[in-house]
Amino acid sequence: MPLLDRDDCTLVIIDVQSNFYPPKRLDVDRQRFHDMVRRIVWITQIADRLDIPVVVTEEDPAGSGHTVSEIREALPATAVTLPKNAFAVWDNPDIAAAIEATGRTTMVLVGIETDICVAHSAIQLHEAGKRVVVVDDAAYSPGQAHERGLRRLRGQGIETLSTKELFYDWVRTIEAADTFHDTHADLSVPPGVRL
């Protein structure tokens, strides 16, 4: 897996919505979901500061709500948020157009659910000729579905990496990492990430 070129990356945040997992869903590990949200917030803040375009999707926002407030507040002014009707982002013409408009060919995917919308999106983008990377600790499905989704992705040749690996691919050098931390000391490292 070659290193990521941040100047060719687009961050795609898939369906991390306020009502996607209502309280009656007892199979949801709320702490894991919350930790995933905090990692996505951090990745989004980094993307903003490194001028990486951000595309956000919302599946059935009337029923599942809008993107969670923590992520919404971290979005750059240039981020595009669009409704999603097909599970794969690429199968939604407006979202596909927004992705194409970035001019980037590497798609970094985060969000939910790993085994359905993230997997469908990754596979369709890959088949469309994009390089696709799923950030495995910034994606979520309840129970065993997360690991099943990751297995399916790897079986299709989709690359996976961690939030930590993504950061270091984007900054590349010790000097750049130190400068980033010094310049953006307001960004707190999320749970489960040790730099």
Side-chain angles (χ1 to χ4, degrees), residues 124-185:
Q124 291 293 77
L125 286 163
H126 181 69
E127 289 179 357
K130 307 293 184 190
R131 181 180 179 190
V132 182
V133 177
V134 173
V135 185
D136 56 19
D137 61 351
Y140 179 78
S141 281
Q144 296 301 311
H146 177 70
E147 287 303 324
R148 282 197 303 272
L150 292 177
R151 277 197 306 271
R152 181 180 188 188
L153 290 169
R154 292 173 184 135
Q156 293 289 319
I158 307 296
E159 301 171 56
T160 63
L161 46 64
S162 68
T163 298
K164 176 183 176 180
E165 291 169 302
L166 177 67
F167 173 74
Y168 284 114
D169 270 25
W170 279 352
V171 296
R172 294 288 180 99
T173 67
I174 295 168
E175 181 180 1
D178 289 344
T179 299
F180 185 90
H181 291 308
D182 292 343
T183 307
H184 306 292

Side-chain angles (χ1 to χ4, degrees), residues 6 15 83 177:
R6 75 177 188 221
D15 305 344

